[in-house]
Amino acid sequence: MPSEKRVLVAEEDPVCRRFVELSLRCGGFNVIAGDPEEARRALDQYGSDAFECLVSCYNHAQDGGLDLVDWVRQQDATLATVVLASMQDSHMVEKSLRGRSCDFLEKPLSVPTLSQAVNNAVATTGQRRGLSYLTQGVQAAGLVQKTLLSSVLSSSDTPIESYFRPKQQAGGDFLAHYRTSGGDDILIMTDVSGHDLEAAVMSAMFHGMARGLIDSGVTIEEVLTRYNQVLLTTPGFEARPSSIAVCCIRLSYTSKSMQIFLAGAPPPRWVNATGWLDSSTHVFSTPLGWFEHARPAVLLTDLPSTPVLFWTDGVEDLAGQLGADPMSVASALIAAGRTGVDPDWIDEAHDDILVARVWAGVRYSDTAMQETPVVSARYGRLQAAQIDALQALWARSLDLAVADLADSMRFDVLLCSREAVLNAIIHGCSETEEASLQIDWLPLSREIRVRVADPGPGYDAEAVALANQGLEDGHRGIILMKSLASTIEITQRGARVTMTFREREETYDVH
Amino acid sequence: MSTKNQLVPGISTQTPILEVGGDILSTNVDFLRQDLSSLLEASKAATVFELRLPNTKMVDSAGLNLLVWFIKSVRARGGVVRIALSDRNVLRTFQFTRLDREIEIVRTESLEPKRKMEVH
């Protein structure tokens, strides 16, 4: 009875060809045999996927056997080949075949040896084709994810920018947008543990359930609580535990408020009315799927007048690897999402990457010109000794977020930030207090703004104003800042310093 | 963090030269102060002191204060300080704080090979 194991034999010598054909038929294989040219025609006619193995005989006079092997590899890398060669040709053929064929047999052949080799090749073909099918399936799933994400974001009349890059073809990060009947915008960003096809399926399941419940009028908090129960109580899930980190933002234009629901995700960031970056970094929450008693953290704040930036923890991890502030990484990725050009450092990411910026209740302008904080941090006195490392982080953040930053401007920003932060934490903070630093990139004017604030009482600004130069003692930090910054504003007796920097023409004279 | 500063054979015993290993910042001024103090102690007869800054990319206010202390110390014995540097940002720093009026600045592209020398 013919087997499903279909073998194509390519052999120039008709006697040998007949021997191989009959030997394989006796072994239960379904065989088509011909010379190399006939074999090639058979592949063209039936397609390479009609066969599970190619047996090709090497003929040193014509090299037809190896040519066919190479041709098949190019057409269908999953089809395993077995090459037969005479003893006199065996060394050369074996060497040239390294990596090109599944097996190599030396003539004269024994039927059991031939049969075993072809059986192994058939099994290899099966494995390769299974893997190829799976890979194509994952790629297709990834394409669906990207298409869905683009569709969701582009169909919204609330401007949403994003950058999405799964670690593999499909991942566990996703962003969905809903508009309620009352006109509120709801954005749900999720990060399922793992970054594979399973994570993508879990992500789809969550978003499907969430959409259904929200459309039915269930509150977001209840949606998250219910899904937590799903993860913890569904039979079978305990063997393969999964968790989901969620950041949900509800923007209400009627009440001019923003509600944030967090379950283990990094909090969103936005610039508040004072110009400082606001976030809820002090709020802690656990992902869904960890604990029964866990509830999402809920925050209510005024609707911001600036865009809201949020991301999955892959961005935080990447920022740590790059030695930069997450704001600079997120900002650079939003720009990359706009241009469609991946930054070269994105390959260093170990996790899925998803970042989004939503312009809610904000007059939508040229997003590329939006002012963006690239560093936002708080430091205490104990960090004075680490100022070199902090400065390196600011430098790296600037390099990521600002393209073509002039060297002199970069130097000015770093030196003045160093001076201002050291002043603030040494002279303006007690043992337990902290100073704030924020570095903003203003692309419209190509300026950088540095703000430092401390809780201290300030200093005698008049004495500092009189401080000179040369060999007089003290206040060189202030003098440096006043000299290097394009503008400087010192308020609250020095407890607040705001400096701007713009590119300058560089002319230097050596006296 | 040490600057790994190195003494260089001077043109004469009256021109001790110290090559500074890197940036002059709040986090390493103490080490450089030790080296400069040793230099002053070992070179009582010197009238010109040269500091070479081939790898210095930044001098903060603490670094400037240290240089001012060194300049004053050298002046107290009737000497002068010469600084050889190759970074334009460092030069700007000296210019903006008018330190360039108190010392001789030599702008260099490259410096002579350095050799270690014991301080006696």
Side-chain angles (χ1 to χ4, degrees):
Chain A
M1 189 172 210
S3 147
E4 287 303 318
K5 294 184 274 188
R6 291 158 296 199
V7 181
L8 177 63
V9 176
E11 165 62 80
E12 195 68 47
D13 176 68
V15 173
C16 183
R17 181 169 69 236
R18 186 65 178 157
F19 170 79
V20 171
E21 181 183 359
L22 288 176
S23 299
L24 290 176
R25 284 191 197 281
C26 290
F29 296 98
N30 194 348
V31 183
I32 290 180
D35 61 31
E37 197 48 47
E38 287 170 335
R40 197 178 288 225
R41 282 203 296 273
L43 285 167
D44 281 338
Q45 180 180 350
Y46 298 110
S48 59
D49 55 355
F51 302 98
E52 276 73 49
C53 175
L54 167 69
V55 176
S56 183
C57 299
Y58 173 73
N59 183 323
H60 72 272
Q62 296 165 352
D63 200 24
L66 293 185
D67 276 352
L68 183 61
V69 168
D70 286 338
W71 185 83
V72 166
R73 277 189 85 234
Q74 286 169 14
Q75 303 300 314
D76 181 358
T78 64
L79 181 61
T81 57
V82 176
V83 175
L84 312 179
S86 62
M87 276 178 61
Q88 70 196 65
D89 300 324
S90 61
H91 291 300
M92 184 270 290
V93 173
E94 189 171 12
K95 186 178 173 185
S96 74
L97 281 177
R98 202 162 289 138
R100 294 156 75 186
S101 80
C102 176
D103 206 345
F104 163 78
L105 297 178
E106 202 175 275
K107 296 176 183 177
L109 301 170
S110 75
V111 173
T113 303
L114 175 63
S115 194
Q116 182 64 48
V118 172
N119 258 320
N120 291 342
V122 165
T124 299
T125 298
Q127 287 165 8
R128 288 176 182 173
R129 285 178 177 166
L131 186 60
S132 173
Y133 179 73
L134 182 63
T135 302
Q136 287 170 26
V138 173
Q139 286 172 346
L143 192 57
V144 167
Q145 264 194 333
K146 287 185 180 166
T147 304
L148 273 175
L149 186 60
S150 297
S151 165
V152 159
L153 301 180
S154 63
S155 64
S156 164
D157 54 10
T158 298
I160 304 170
E161 303 167 276
S162 72
Y163 177 90
F164 175 52
R165 194 177 200 260
K167 180 64 181 168
Q168 321 232 359
Q169 285 89 351
D173 289 6
F174 198 71
L175 172 64
H177 170 246
Y178 313 109
R179 173 68 59 80
T180 70
S181 55
D184 290 358
D185 279 321
I186 297 175
L187 292 114
I188 305 183
M189 181 178 281
T190 54
D191 179 359
V192 177
S193 54
H195 31 74
D196 52 15
L197 196 53
E198 181 179 345
V201 169
M202 293 297 289
S203 174
M205 193 170 107
F206 169 82
H207 281 282
M209 177 176 157
R211 177 174 274 281
L213 288 174
I214 290 172
D215 284 347
S216 306
V218 176
T219 66
I220 294 168
E221 193 169 357
E222 185 60 23
V223 169
L224 300 181
T225 302
R226 286 196 201 181
Y227 202 74
N228 189 45
Q229 289 304 309
V230 166
L231 290 176
L232 290 168
T233 59
T234 299
F237 276 8
E238 68 277 1
R240 296 180 65 83
S242 183
S243 64
I244 302 180
V246 181
C247 171
C248 178
I249 302 173
R250 181 169 185 144
L251 302 157
S252 172
Y253 306 104
T254 50
S255 62
K256 295 198 180 346
S257 65
M258 177 169 71
Q259 229 179 350
I260 299 168
F261 303 83
L262 292 172
R269 320 288 168 97
W270 65 96
V271 175
N272 61 28
T274 65
W276 289 86
L277 193 71
D278 205 336
S279 72
S280 35
T281 50
H282 58 284
V283 174
F284 302 101
S285 59
T286 54
L288 306 182
W290 280 19
F291 305 114
E292 276 218 36
H293 58 269
R295 293 290 180 270
V298 183
L299 304 159
L300 182 65
T301 185
D302 292 335
L303 193 66
S305 58
T306 57
V308 178
L309 199 56
F310 52 119
W311 53 75
T312 54
D313 68 0
V315 174
E316 302 266 338
D317 294 341
L318 181 57
Q321 284 169 246
L322 298 174
D325 192 295
M327 281 298 300
S328 67
V329 173
S331 164
L333 291 176
I334 288 292
R338 196 164 48 237
T339 62
V341 178
D342 285 339
D344 52 13
W345 39 262
I346 194 63
D347 288 333
E348 295 185 47
H350 296 318
D351 197 355
D352 299 332
I353 297 291
L354 177 58
V355 57
R357 185 165 70 174
V358 58
W359 297 63
V362 179
R363 188 166 156 272
Y364 183 62
S365 58
D366 183 353
T367 64
M369 293 296 117
Q370 174 65 30
E371 290 184 15
T372 307
V374 297
V375 173
S376 172
R378 296 177 63 80
Y379 304 119
R381 288 186 104 181
L382 292 178
Q383 287 166 287
Q386 297 157 15
I387 191 68
D388 290 345
L390 301 182
Q391 184 181 310
L393 183 144
W394 307 334
R396 186 66 174 132
S397 302
L398 285 171
D399 291 342
L400 291 182
V402 183
D404 304 321
L405 182 60
D407 177 65
S408 58
M409 187 169 163
R410 184 180 186 273
F411 171 86
D412 294 348
V413 169
L414 292 175
L415 181 53
C416 291
S417 297
R418 181 190 182 100
E419 295 294 338
V421 167
L422 280 174
N423 279 345
I425 61 180
I426 292 173
H427 303 298
C429 292
S430 67
E431 296 291 335
T432 56
E433 290 171 324
E434 290 183 325
S436 301
L437 164 71
Q438 184 166 309
I439 302 178
D440 300 321
W441 167 234
L442 285 60
L444 192 59
S445 54
R446 283 198 68 81
E447 288 182 336
I448 291 176
R449 179 171 54 220
V450 176
R451 269 184 275 221
V452 178
D454 66 64
Y459 55 86
D460 185 349
E462 205 173 302
V464 173
L466 293 174
N468 202 352
Q469 53 267 326
L471 300 184
E472 293 182 23
D473 287 332
H475 308 305
R476 283 192 177 80
I478 303 286
I479 293 167
L480 275 175
M481 289 190 283
K482 286 186 173 181
S483 303
L484 297 178
S486 302
T487 67
I488 181 167
E489 185 183 357
I490 302 176
T491 56
Q492 296 184 17
R493 288 176 55 82
R496 296 218 162 193
V497 177
T498 302
M499 299 174 279
T500 61
F501 302 84
R502 56 181 80 100
E503 289 163 354
R504 61 170 82 220
E505 278 190 24
E506 299 178 2
T507 55
Y508 304 103
D509 294 323
V510 176
H511 305 293
Chain B
M1 180 180 72
S2 169
T3 54
K4 295 182 184 169
N5 311 310
Q6 293 184 342
L7 288 173
V8 178
I11 297 170
S12 71
T13 56
Q14 291 187 315
T15 314
I17 301 170
L18 181 72
E19 187 170 293
V20 178
D23 296 340
I24 308 176
L25 302 171
S26 56
T27 44
N28 62 16
V29 287
D30 289 342
F31 295 102
L32 183 55
R33 181 184 290 271
Q34 288 172 17
D35 289 339
L36 291 174
S37 295
S38 300
L39 189 69
L40 288 169
E41 185 61 32
S43 312
K44 287 191 166 66
T47 54
V48 177
F49 286 79
E50 182 170 315
L51 298 183
R52 292 185 176 178
L53 314 183
N55 302 309
T56 303
K57 304 293 179 194
M58 183 177 283
V59 179
D60 68 359
S61 58
L64 292 172
N65 288 342
L66 175 68
L67 293 177
V68 166
W69 162 81
F70 183 66
I71 293 165
K72 287 181 174 178
S73 302
V74 168
R75 268 202 191 163
R77 56 175 76 181
V80 294
V81 172
R82 179 191 303 144
I83 293 184
L85 54 86
S86 59
D87 187 274
R88 64 176 60 181
N89 289 318
V90 174
L91 176 61
R92 280 200 300 129
T93 302
F94 288 172
Q95 288 172 333
F96 284 132
T97 54
R98 305 199 187 179
L99 209 60
D100 58 329
R101 299 183 181 184
E102 310 297 335
I103 53 177
E104 179 188 344
I105 289 185
V106 176
R107 185 83 187 273
T108 60
E109 293 302 318
S110 64
L111 297 175
E112 296 166 37
K114 50 191 178 293
R115 253 180 22 195
K116 264 195 171 177
M117 181 175 149
E118 293 296 320
V119 176
H120 301 292

